[in-house]
Structures are given as structure tokens and as C-alpha cells.
Amino acid sequence: MFNKIKAFTLIEMIGVIIIIGMLLLIVFPATVRLIKGNAERKFNQYYDLIEEAAILYAKNRVDDLGGVSGTGCIEDITLSDLISETSLKEFDEEGIVCGSPSEFILSEYDDIDSNFDYVDIRIRNNKGKLSTEISLICVKGKKVSYSKLIEKKGSCDKYIAEAKNVLYDDISKLTTQTDDNINYFVTGSNPNNYVLYSGKLWRAIGYNSNNKTIKLVSNEVVTLLPYDNTSSEYYNSNVDVWLNNKFLSTLRTPDLYLYNDNWNYTTVSNSNKPAETNVIQSKVGLLNYYEFNKVKDYLSTNYNWWLSSMASSTNTWYVTNSNSVSNMQVSNFLGIRPSIVLKSNITYISGGTGTEDNPYKLDGDTTGNSGSFLNTRYAGEYVMFAGNKYRIIETNNNYTRLISDNTLDSITTIFDNTTINTYNSGAKIGKLLNEEWYNNLSDTDKSKLVIADFCPSIFNNTSEYTISCPVSNTINIIVGIPKIGDMYTLPTASGEYWTLSNFTDELINTISVNGTISGHSIDYVSGVRPVINISNNVKIASGNGTSSNPYILQ
């Protein structure tokens, strides 16, 4: 006899359906999240592969980017180029990264050209949307490095660049006083307007509300120069040429960061706003009398420094060490305090609150890391060598030039005791540094030094600045001393010191504690401030390049 099979009632069927529906409500979102998570992980994995491939591509193309000098840009390349020239593979699944390889383009930052050292590479999809940012890729000295700039956020079709902090937005919030479209910082109470750029500390003095640019002035005097040899006109003066050649070369990718601004050097008799009679356009300049007067209370230093405003045909205004304004003939040597203007799109993501101890740090303009080469760093940063603190004054493809932060303890000497009136290994001061001082170094420290050319002067007998040193005048030596016009050849607390630069055919220039440059005979006694050249294969072990935490070398 067959058993009767009981059928589901309508109510039971409805109950089963409800239970199944509830299970689907629970399981389906989790399944969708899992699928999306897998897609996101695949995108992240492929994104990392793209980074690796881009770096490998750059390494393979170093010669195309400047040969052994190794400075230059990666031209626009597609992912297909990376696939064909590296181990990068095609996408495993179409659409995982919102498009096929041919629909993504690696493109450079809009303002990049072939003379730049750094490339801001971005990935764009076929709709032109910025999909995500790979990294800053630096090619210098046959070394390629990068730093990831942003986090990837959102689902596959929403991989867009993370909003960055634009420096203008924070700077413009500070209390200001307005003059037309230029907003100047109200002086006093230490406003948070310090910016770190190219290893140098700057202070924002104001911003232009029309084009959203920010004007900065160096927080310190960077060298001593004669304003000019004849005319008080700023354009093409010694200072103008030095700033837009020598000093400009110490800044990180200036065409990317700096605005080509108008610099007003019109003749004035007081601090009133000047007419625009004499104006030039350049990337680096000097503050004029009017600008300084707007923000003078927090620009005080111990040195005299030039302004750009003419006082007469032969005299130019300058700021005294008591922070007042006076004028002087242009042939005198005074301090140089460069001024620059940051573009409106400059961002910072590396931290910083704008204080002197914790300045704003510009996006991509980071300090040296452990293992990075010293010659990738910037003039102004500090280095420990042989137990003494030095500052970088120049970098190139062969060496990094350092100047002792002070004169050697308790060491003073005559320049020579015979007839030698140019620095070399035969002069008494040259023997002291290249024999006695050098021989006291450890073998490890000696191995870091290289012989290099030293130029006695970049000024002729009429105090006119020349961009390059005549080859016939160069000295090939291990340890030198500074010349007039070198970076950070400022007065030191430990006393006067010798320079390479002749005052006349018989007299040698010294720099005194008050910033005076004087000529002395070779039997005069003065201090000694070594200048050395670190090999370009020396790396950083630790430190961040500041005075309180200088780079320690490997």
C-alpha cells in the first residue's frame, strides 16, 4: 500500500519563498561586495604592476632622458608601450579597470617639457577622466625613484584623483591686508606662513587674489653680492643674472612650481606704492621697498640685504641689519634674499602646519630618504661629514659640493708666506687643508671625497658678475675654500675667513662677521672654511637635511 505524500500548502509555499527571499537579501549584497572586492583587488594589483613597468621603462630609457647626466622626462606613453617593452601583461578581464589598455594613456603634467627632472604621470581613461595617479618619477644620475602620491578610493568606475590641499587655500585664510588685488600678511604674532621648497625655508609675504599665486621670500640671506658694477637698474644687474641662473639652478623643477612674475624696480624715494615704470618678468627676483615695508616686522635678519628699488641712478635701497631701509652705491657687497612666486595649482600633501618648525611641505618636494643619493638633494640642506656640519652649495652629475657651516675651530692662517696670491696646494692655506686637514680624516671619509675644479672668482675687476668661470682660472684640488658668490658664503659667528676671490692682483678677499668683504695681503691672518666635494655614489643613511637633523652619510 502506497503512503500518501503530503503536498505543500499555499501558506507553507509562501513561507518558503519568504525565507529564500530573506536569505537572498543577506547573501546577495555580500556576493556583490565580494565581486567588487575582487575587481578592486585586481585593479590594485594591475595598478602596482603599471607602476613597476613605468619605472622599468624609465630605467631602460635613461639615455633618452639625458644620457649620463640622467635628467629629463618620460615622453607620453601608452600602456601598450609598457606592455611591449616590459613584462607588463594585458588585462586579465576586460573592464576590470574601467577600460582596455588602449583606452588608458600615461600622460605628463601639463607644464612639463623635456628639460625637467621630474614627471608627474597620470592614468586617464577613454573619457579623459583622471583615473588615478601613478607617481612622481625622477630620473637623475641614472637613478629612477618615485613616491606614490595618492590613495586609490572608490569602486572601479570611480578611481579618481584624491582631492589635494592647495597651498593657496590655506595661505589665503591667514589675516591679510589688501591692496588692490594683492593681499599682504599683517605683520606680527608669527603667522603660519612658512613653506619648505627645494631644501630651503621660505616665508609667504602675500598672495594675488586674481591669479591665486603666492609670493615667497627666502627666510635667510643666501649669499653676498655687489648689486652691480655701474647702474642701479635691477634688470640685467649682477643680482638679476645670479638669481635667474645660479640660484634658479638650485630649485626643484622651477617651470613646474614657479610663476613668471612681474618684478617692479621703479625708482622711489619712500615706501609708497611705486608706479610701474620699470618692470621685468622672471622666475626669481627681489622684494621692492614697498613690499618689504608691508611685511617688514617678521623679515628681520642680522645681515644687510638688497631690495630691487632704485634710489637714484647710482644707488639702490637695501634693508639694514636693524631692519630699517637705507640706500647705498651698487658696487658694495650686501646680502641676497631671493623671492619667488608659486603657481596657483601648487599642492601639499606631505604635512606641515606652516610654522617655522613644521612648514608647509610641497607635494613631491620631500626630504632625502635612507638609501637615496646625496647628489639628488638641494642647496641649503645640511650634511654631517667628519664630525662637522656642512651645507650643500651645489649638486651636479659628478659630485655634491659642501661648505663647512663654520670656520675650522681654532685654525687661522696667513694665505701664504712667499709670493703665492692665488689658492692652490702650494700656498700655505692650500697645504694646510689638502695635507694636514685631509690627512687627519679617516680612510672612510677620504673615500667619499673627489678632486674637482674650483673657480677663484665669478666677478671681474669691475665687480661685474659672469655666469661661467674661465677654464684657465680653475683649480683642480681636493679641498678648497669658498669664492664670492657661492651659496651660503655668509658671515659666521666664529669669525672672518679667506675666500678664493682676489680683491686685486695682490690682495685676497675675506668675509667678516658683519658681512663686510675686504681685501688683504697674503701675510694677513684669517679663518679657514673648507669646501669639499662628495662623490656622486655616496648615499644618505639617515637624517632629513635640517640643521637640527642633518643627513648622515652611508
Side-chain angles (χ1 to χ4, degrees):
M1 186 174 183
F2 295 100
N3 292 327
K4 288 186 178 180
I5 299 175
K6 185 179 180 181
F8 283 102
T9 66
L10 179 60
I11 294 175
E12 289 173 331
M13 288 290 292
I14 293 173
V16 170
I17 292 171
I18 291 173
I19 291 171
I20 294 173
M22 292 176 66
L23 289 173
L24 287 174
L25 288 175
I26 295 171
V27 173
F28 183 77
T31 303
V32 171
R33 284 195 299 271
L34 181 62
I35 293 171
K36 286 186 176 180
N38 286 336
E40 184 169 341
R41 279 191 295 275
K42 287 198 174 217
F43 179 90
N44 291 344
Q45 290 169 359
Y46 196 82
Y47 171 84
D48 292 337
L49 289 174
I50 293 173
E51 285 188 314
E52 293 172 9
I55 293 166
L56 179 60
Y57 183 93
K59 287 180 178 178
N60 293 338
R61 294 301 183 95
V62 164
D63 288 341
D64 297 341
L65 305 174
V68 293
S69 63
T71 56
C73 286
I74 300 173
E75 297 296 331
D76 284 3
I77 54 175
T78 65
L79 290 183
S80 298
D81 293 327
L82 295 185
I83 290 169
S84 64
E85 297 201 24
T86 69
S87 59
L88 189 65
K89 299 292 192 297
E90 295 280 356
F91 292 115
D92 293 330
E93 295 180 33
E94 189 76 5
I96 283 180
V97 292
C98 318
S100 64
S102 61
E103 294 173 333
F104 280 75
I105 297 177
L106 298 180
S107 62
E108 300 171 288
Y109 194 90
D110 292 340
D111 293 328
I112 291 289
D113 66 33
S114 60
N115 295 320
F116 290 13
D117 297 344
Y118 294 82
V119 182
D120 192 355
I121 294 186
R122 302 162 185 263
I123 306 176
R124 297 179 184 273
N125 65 16
N126 60 336
K127 297 179 181 177
K129 177 190 266 187
L130 182 61
S131 181
T132 192
E133 195 165 56
I134 274 192
S135 40
L136 272 178
I137 293 185
C138 163
V139 181
K140 191 168 186 179
K142 289 208 170 188
K143 176 179 180 295
V144 179
S145 61
Y146 77 98
S147 57
K148 191 176 294 187
L149 297 181
I150 65 169
E151 297 292 330
K152 298 180 290 296
K153 292 185 176 181
S155 59
C156 178
D157 60 350
K158 295 181 180 178
Y159 281 108
I160 59 174
E162 180 182 9
K164 298 179 183 178
N165 300 309
V166 179
L167 187 61
Y168 174 89
D169 293 339
D170 273 35
I171 290 291
S172 64
K173 292 174 185 175
L174 301 178
T175 304
T176 60
Q177 51 186 340
T178 303
D179 186 349
D180 297 332
N181 62 315
I182 306 296
N183 297 358
Y184 293 96
F185 296 113
V186 172
T187 56
S189 67
N190 298 316
N192 296 352
N193 60 346
Y194 288 90
V195 178
L196 188 66
Y197 167 56
S198 295
K200 304 165 188 63
L201 191 62
W202 305 78
R203 293 202 75 165
I205 68 153
Y207 62 91
N208 187 314
S209 57
N210 280 355
N211 59 24
K212 295 189 175 182
T213 56
I214 303 169
K215 179 165 281 190
L216 309 177
V217 64
S218 172
N219 197 49
E220 61 181 321
V221 170
V222 298
T223 195
L224 300 168
L225 292 178
Y227 187 89
D228 201 38
N229 57 322
T230 54
S231 170
S232 64
E233 182 168 316
Y234 174 75
Y235 175 63
N236 253 351
S237 66
N238 289 333
V239 176
D240 177 28
V241 175
W242 185 89
L243 286 173
N244 286 284
N245 288 275
K246 179 64 177 178
F247 182 76
L248 186 65
S249 70
T250 72
L251 302 180
R252 180 185 188 275
T253 51
D255 286 331
L256 179 62
Y257 283 92
L258 303 187
Y259 183 76
N260 217 32
D261 201 39
N262 292 323
W263 304 90
N264 188 344
Y265 60 98
T266 302
T267 302
V268 294
S269 58
N270 52 49
S271 63
N272 293 338
K273 187 173 183 179
E276 295 187 358
T277 307
N278 297 94
V279 179
I280 63 166
Q281 213 176 50
S282 61
K283 284 187 167 55
V284 189
L286 292 180
L287 299 185
N288 61 36
Y289 192 167
Y290 173 75
E291 291 170 321
F292 166 74
N293 192 61
K294 286 285 189 179
V295 291
K296 62 182 180 181
D297 286 357
Y298 59 68
L299 293 184
S300 179
T301 71
N302 294 323
Y303 309 122
N304 303 320
W305 49 285
W306 290 113
L307 296 171
S308 65
S309 301
M310 295 184 289
S312 68
S313 60
T314 59
N315 283 32
T316 297
W317 294 103
Y318 74 97
V319 179
T320 70
N321 56 9
S322 61
N323 217 38
S324 60
V325 176
S326 186
N327 66 81
M328 185 181 289
Q329 285 192 337
V330 294
S331 57
N332 289 279
F333 284 76
L334 295 179
I336 304 299
R337 205 162 174 186
S339 182
I340 56 176
V341 178
L342 292 178
K343 290 183 176 181
S344 60
N345 61 347
I346 299 303
T347 59
Y348 67 98
I349 62 170
S350 301
T353 57
T355 63
E356 185 171 9
D357 293 332
N358 189 24
Y360 295 116
K361 299 176 181 67
L362 302 187
D363 180 4
D365 193 45
T366 56
T367 58
N369 299 316
S370 175
S372 60
F373 288 94
L374 184 64
N375 71 342
T376 63
R377 302 314 307 153
Y378 302 105
E381 293 185 296
Y382 290 85
V383 179
M384 286 299 294
F385 177 80
N388 293 314
K389 192 188 300 183
Y390 286 74
R391 292 190 86 168
I392 298 174
I393 60 174
E394 180 185 345
T395 61
N396 57 47
N397 298 314
N398 300 313
Y399 57 80
T400 301
R401 181 158 288 180
L402 308 180
I403 185 171
S404 174
D405 199 34
N406 228 318
T407 57
L408 293 177
D409 292 341
S410 304
I411 296 181
T412 58
T413 186
I414 63 174
F415 199 86
D416 192 52
N417 52 5
T418 57
T419 58
I420 299 175
N421 58 5
T422 57
Y423 183 87
N424 59 46
S425 58
K428 181 174 176 61
I429 184 175
K431 287 182 179 179
L432 183 147
L433 287 175
N434 288 274
E435 294 180 13
E436 295 177 37
W437 184 82
Y438 175 77
N439 288 334
N440 283 328
L441 297 177
S442 68
D443 290 341
T444 300
D445 287 335
K446 287 179 182 176
S447 69
K448 293 181 172 68
L449 300 182
V450 295
I451 297 174
D453 287 340
F454 285 83
C455 177
S457 181
I458 50 175
F459 291 92
N460 60 27
N461 291 333
T462 61
S463 297
E464 183 178 10
Y465 173 71
T466 57
I467 295 175
S468 59
C469 180
V471 175
S472 59
N473 289 349
T474 58
I475 307 161
N476 198 249
I477 206 163
I478 298 176
V479 188
I481 54 177
K483 69 176 178 293
I484 304 299
D486 274 346
M487 294 279 285
Y488 304 106
T489 49
L490 304 175
T492 68
S494 58
E496 181 184 57
Y497 61 91
W498 288 109
T499 73
L500 288 173
S501 306
N502 286 44
F503 182 75
T504 66
D505 289 340
E506 301 298 328
L507 302 179
I508 314 296
N509 276 315
T510 62
I511 297 178
S512 68
V513 291
N514 63 4
T516 302
I517 293 177
S518 306
H520 293 288
S521 60
I522 59 175
D523 59 354
Y524 182 79
V525 177
S526 190
V528 180
R529 196 173 176 191
V531 175
I532 57 176
N533 307 289
I534 303 292
S535 169
N536 66 350
N537 62 7
V538 172
K539 295 181 179 181
I540 295 168
S542 61
N544 63 10
T546 62
S547 179
S548 60
N549 187 20
Y551 293 128
I552 307 297
L553 303 180
Q554 289 184 358

